[in-house]
Amino acid sequence: MMKQEKNYSYRGSILGKVLPTVLFTIVLICTPGIISATSKGQRDVALRWGHTSLGMLSGSSPYDTGLSAGVTVGVNRRLEFIVTGGTEVVPVPFRTGYVLAELSLAVLGDRVLDGGYAGSLLNTHVALGIMASPHGIDHGFGPSHLVLTITPLSLGTPLEGRRENLMKMGVAWAFREQQPSFSFFWNLYSIDTYLSGTWRDVSRVSTPTP
Amino acid sequence: MKKRILVWAFMGAFVCLLAMGTLSAHKKEVSTVALHPWGYGLSFAGAGRSVGTMPTGKTSYEAVFLGSFFFAISPWDLPFLNPSLRTTLSVGVGSHGVQVHDASAVLGIEIIRTLNHPLGFMVTNKAVWAPSLTVGGSYLFGYRPDAKEGWHMLLEASPLKLSHRDFVYEWLVPYAHVDVRQHTIAEWGIVLYRGTVLI
């Protein structure tokens, strides 16, 4: 049974035009800096893949199943920048999808410590992001949702080289709809495989600062 | 008649595999009996099927999210063609609410079990890579009036299966419930994650 398609349209308001532009500009400005820092070996970088829900997108089926993949980049001890792309797999592969840029805060403790020491093995992450997806009457691709999520259980650290993120959930605010609405957004699991910033790359040259 | 042949073929194949395992263990004078032969666990899957045509002429689809509980038997640790059995009960969450979706019993064959593989990055500890193929019978319950209720053949392929001493991970397992009489796929889907605790 197809879900009734949402009536998306551009809003003639500040939220509809200015906010997405500002947020996307911020993302575009931040990204090169983060990548630059990463290339100098200062950041931990991981490939992420896992499950995703797609119920917030127009043209998706109820209860459909998607997969996501992307990159996470450590900004500092607590923050990381994450860019993921998600696509529908079941029941119709690649029918719809999204790109999501998030800034994630580790709540329970530092992700990493100086001097090559691991941060908190168990952690909780809160993330705020902007999602781009097909929307509007012509289903043009562009900023469409603000997403606030919490990942209650995150196992592993960059230093270990691997991290599992379980039961990430939150809300997606479709701010460009004619009548903005909130949808539930969740990821059953995602797995981060670290390319840099692991124990292989870090030499213990300094002591950790508390 | 065809059903009987099919059932006897499955039973024969399984007996042959049991015999191979026993002979292999005897010949090498090394125990290949699994240390933890029993298992149970949970899996999560997305299932979908075509449900007809919309007025616009496009095909419409229905999706269900499945949570499954299962028991497994894996009596040996053979390096090749290692057999196992699994019985599963799946509960679906979909537009019809929460209902029992299907029950199945399958025979799985791990084609190879090796520590030399490129998938070590997926788990923290050293794990055996054991890609497997599964075939068996399933009963799809009629959770909607137009659902294809009845017996089907269940086929699975599990390329990303990593086995520890007492835990087995599986990710991204495509599967299909095949209507053998009509030679059509009644439902198909993908198991996102399956975790088995071996005891």
Side-chain angles (χ1 to χ4, degrees):
Chain A
M1 192 176 69
M2 284 293 294
K3 186 171 66 175
Q4 193 175 7
E5 288 199 358
K6 295 168 187 171
N7 181 22
Y8 280 82
S9 66
Y10 288 89
R11 298 180 73 211
S13 67
I14 291 175
L15 280 180
K17 290 179 179 173
V18 178
L19 182 64
T21 311
V22 170
L23 289 172
F24 234 64
T25 307
I26 291 170
V27 169
L28 287 174
I29 290 170
C30 288
T31 305
I34 291 168
I35 292 172
S36 168
T38 303
S39 66
K40 293 171 186 169
Q42 296 169 1
R43 304 284 179 234
D44 50 271
V45 180
L47 295 178
R48 168 174 290 195
W49 69 275
H51 160 255
T52 186
S53 65
L54 297 148
M56 61 284 176
L57 304 182
S58 62
S60 65
S61 301
Y63 308 101
D64 54 8
T65 299
L67 292 176
S68 65
V71 178
T72 79
V73 179
V75 177
N76 60 27
R77 286 183 174 193
R78 292 271 183 159
L79 284 173
E80 60 191 17
F81 180 67
I82 306 165
V83 178
T84 49
T87 183
E88 181 175 325
V89 176
V90 177
V92 186
F94 310 114
R95 175 166 55 178
T96 186
Y98 66 79
V99 174
L100 175 63
E102 295 173 287
L103 202 58
S104 174
L105 172 71
V107 178
L108 296 187
D110 290 336
R111 302 178 312 108
V112 288
L113 292 172
D114 294 338
Y117 287 85
S120 180
L121 182 66
L122 297 175
N123 222 323
T124 295
H125 292 262
V126 175
L128 180 65
I130 184 166
M131 179 183 286
S133 65
H135 69 103
I137 297 167
D138 59 350
H139 294 279
F141 193 86
S144 58
H145 297 76
L146 277 179
V147 181
L148 179 65
T149 59
I150 180 168
T151 307
L153 189 56
S154 181
L155 299 167
T157 66
L159 205 73
E160 277 184 88
R162 186 170 177 276
R163 189 175 66 185
E164 294 175 19
N165 309 292
L166 305 174
M167 293 307 296
K168 178 178 179 177
M169 63 187 87
V171 289
W173 178 41
F175 58 84
R176 299 195 82 171
E177 280 186 73
Q178 209 162 21
Q179 292 180 328
S181 62
F182 289 93
S183 307
F184 185 60
F185 175 74
W186 68 289
N187 296 4
L188 181 67
Y189 70 86
S190 63
I191 295 172
D192 298 332
T193 301
Y194 282 87
L195 305 175
S196 71
T198 68
W199 58 272
R200 296 180 189 88
D201 307 314
V202 178
S203 58
R204 291 194 172 89
V205 292
S206 61
T207 53
T209 50
Chain B
M1 187 62 185
K2 279 183 183 175
K3 272 186 183 174
R4 280 187 184 177
I5 293 170
L6 211 59
V7 169
W8 280 109
F10 283 138
M11 288 175 66
F14 190 61
V15 169
C16 285
L17 285 166
L18 294 185
M20 280 169 60
T22 309
L23 288 171
S24 168
H26 179 71
K27 192 176 177 183
K28 291 179 181 174
E29 295 181 349
V30 174
S31 173
T32 55
V33 175
L35 197 61
H36 303 291
W38 304 90
Y40 65 93
L42 284 172
S43 66
F44 301 96
R49 67 194 179 94
S50 159
V51 290
T53 310
M54 294 192 294
T56 55
K58 290 182 178 176
T59 307
S60 61
Y61 299 90
E62 183 185 63
V64 182
F65 191 78
L66 300 178
S68 304
F69 182 73
F70 60 85
F71 288 100
I73 305 169
S74 183
W76 293 288
D77 276 336
L78 304 180
F80 299 101
L81 302 178
N82 189 44
S84 63
L85 284 171
R86 192 179 73 241
T87 58
T88 307
L89 186 69
S90 300
V91 175
V93 180
S95 51
H96 56 280
V98 180
Q99 273 189 315
V100 176
H101 181 270
D102 71 83
S104 63
V106 295
L107 166 67
I109 300 291
E110 291 171 350
I111 298 163
I112 188 171
R113 287 173 64 82
T114 177
L115 278 168
N116 300 316
H117 58 85
L119 302 173
F121 68 91
M122 296 183 72
V123 288
T124 305
N125 297 322
K126 196 86 173 170
V128 170
W129 179 47
S132 70
L133 295 172
T134 299
V135 63
S138 65
Y139 189 87
L140 287 174
F141 293 93
Y143 55 90
R144 284 179 66 90
D146 57 349
K148 292 188 175 178
E149 183 177 0
W151 289 99
H152 295 79
M153 182 192 285
L154 178 59
L155 301 172
E156 276 184 15
S158 181
L160 301 178
K161 182 175 182 179
L162 295 175
S163 178
H164 284 133
R165 184 179 163 129
D166 46 18
F167 198 85
V168 181
Y169 294 95
E170 286 173 83
W171 295 278
L172 308 183
V173 182
Y175 69 89
H177 296 277
V178 179
D179 189 332
V180 180
R181 290 173 194 159
Q182 297 180 2
H183 302 284
T184 56
I185 293 175
E187 276 195 22
W188 73 279
I190 185 163
V191 176
L192 296 165
Y193 170 80
R194 180 185 289 145
T196 308
V197 180
L198 299 173
I199 52 177

